[in-house]
Amino acid sequence: MSSPAVAHQAQLLRADLILLLVTVLAAVSWMFSKEALAEFPPLLFMACRFTLAGFILAIPGRRALRRLKAEEWRASAKVGVLFGVAMSFWIMGLFNAHTLGEGAFITSLAVVLVPLLSWLIFREPPARAMFLALPLAIGGLALLSLRQGFNPDPGQIFFFISALLLSLTFILNGRAAARISALALSAIQLVLVGIVAFSASVVLESWPAVFTPTMWLWLWLSVIVGTAARFLLQTYAQGLASPSHAAVIMILEPVWTAVFAAFWFDERMAIAQITGCGLILLALLVNRWSVVKDWFRR
């Protein structure tokens, strides 16, 4: 094998390992957030977490931010506001969730919904895999809702609305990222998520009189480990590999979340819920099957 080929394989391996770490950090972030919600109002927590993380990312991204044109700021802001609404629904889902693993798999449906919304809204022809992945995802979602009959709880509904909005965010973000620095785009979007959540919190929530040491602990772990470090590493790793390559490994996030929640919170799911999660995971794999095959052929 030639030196350039060896270097390329080494680069892809480094990207794989970093992205694997990103999925672990993303899953651990679910634990930190759930712990924080024991004392934090959910929207206020989201506001603090994302605003602080956005300002942290703005430090390494300051040069790219200064170079942005007015229309690039507007494009970033539009996606950021939509992302903020999506994450506000996500945190309400987490606040009401029975099991984190179940919530992670419902949220991961955003990936399956992306080609469907691209087809319905932007008339982009979908891959044939979508027509197989979508029924699997719907079946999995139905099984997750089987508690004494078809009875979805508020947490599941919030997570599903979040998945719908996140799928639209992914589409618009992909169009914006084609011409805007990923680091600058991430910093702007995280701050705007914080602003959207803060605005909703002012209207809808009562704030605690004091912040306890425990609240600060889970907040800063969520900010530094679960948000800033995760986005920095993800941005770096995606620069080493194609987005489709990275997407395969990111499938692992809900799997890690379910495993960590089982140990951290002693969560257990019924057979129907486990089967539902399995169908959603299968839908994710089918949705990206062509990329998965290429990944294993390396």
Side-chain angles (χ1 to χ4, degrees):
M1 187 179 292
S2 65
S3 294
V6 170
H8 180 64
Q9 288 299 318
Q11 178 175 300
L12 288 179
L13 177 60
R14 186 161 69 253
D16 288 350
L17 293 175
I18 294 172
L19 286 167
L20 183 62
L21 176 59
V22 167
T23 63
V24 172
L25 293 180
V28 169
S29 180
W30 283 72
M31 313 302 125
F32 294 161
S33 296
K34 189 64 175 178
E35 292 282 11
L37 293 182
E39 297 184 69
F40 259 106
L43 293 169
L44 178 61
F45 167 71
M46 185 60 61
C48 295
R49 171 185 167 182
F50 275 77
T51 303
L52 291 169
F55 282 124
I56 289 173
L57 286 187
I59 296 172
R62 61 190 180 277
R63 291 182 180 176
L65 286 166
R66 282 197 295 265
R67 289 195 295 265
L68 291 182
K69 300 175 183 177
E71 63 269 18
E72 293 172 334
W73 276 99
R74 285 193 293 270
S76 302
K78 288 177 183 177
V79 180
V81 170
L82 181 60
F83 189 25
V85 176
M87 293 308 295
S88 295
F89 276 101
W90 175 82
I91 197 65
M92 293 307 299
L94 188 63
F95 183 68
N96 290 279
H98 289 290
T99 56
L100 269 65
E102 180 182 277
F105 275 98
I106 295 174
T107 305
S108 71
L109 286 172
V111 175
V112 180
L113 293 170
V114 165
L116 176 63
L117 290 184
S118 295
W119 180 35
L120 295 176
I121 299 173
F122 299 104
R123 300 301 178 188
E124 295 179 1
R128 285 180 293 178
M130 185 202 77
F131 295 101
L132 180 57
L134 199 58
L136 290 170
I138 293 171
L141 188 61
L143 285 172
L144 289 178
S145 302
L146 289 178
R147 287 191 176 93
Q148 299 176 347
F150 183 75
N151 186 29
D153 61 52
Q156 293 173 328
I157 294 171
F158 280 126
F159 279 132
F160 183 69
I161 295 173
S162 175
L164 276 172
L165 294 173
L166 283 172
S167 62
L168 184 56
T169 302
F170 292 159
I171 295 169
L172 298 179
N173 197 46
R175 293 167 177 246
R179 61 185 189 277
I180 301 173
S181 159
L183 195 53
L185 183 62
S186 297
I188 294 169
Q189 289 177 356
L190 293 185
V191 171
L192 279 167
V193 170
I195 292 172
V196 170
F198 179 81
S199 302
S201 178
V202 168
V203 176
L204 300 173
E205 295 179 332
S206 298
W207 293 2
V210 295
F211 277 30
T212 66
T214 305
M215 292 170 73
W216 284 114
L217 170 66
W218 295 120
L219 173 61
W220 279 110
L221 283 173
S222 298
V223 168
I224 296 171
V225 178
T227 312
R230 170 194 171 182
F231 274 90
L232 276 172
L233 288 171
Q234 186 171 330
T235 300
Y236 172 70
Q238 287 177 337
L240 300 176
S242 66
S244 57
H245 178 92
V248 176
I249 299 177
M250 298 305 289
I251 290 174
L252 291 173
E253 179 184 338
V255 179
W256 286 125
T257 303
V259 171
F260 292 162
F263 286 97
W264 196 304
F265 296 113
D266 197 28
E267 287 188 355
R268 297 292 182 268
M269 287 189 280
I271 296 298
Q273 277 70 53
I274 294 172
T275 306
C277 290
L279 283 177
I280 291 174
L281 179 61
L282 183 59
L284 293 173
L285 290 169
V286 168
N287 191 59
R288 293 166 169 166
W289 183 243
S290 61
V291 182
V292 171
K293 287 192 297 183
D294 291 341
W295 189 83
F296 278 111
R297 285 173 181 167
R298 277 180 24 215

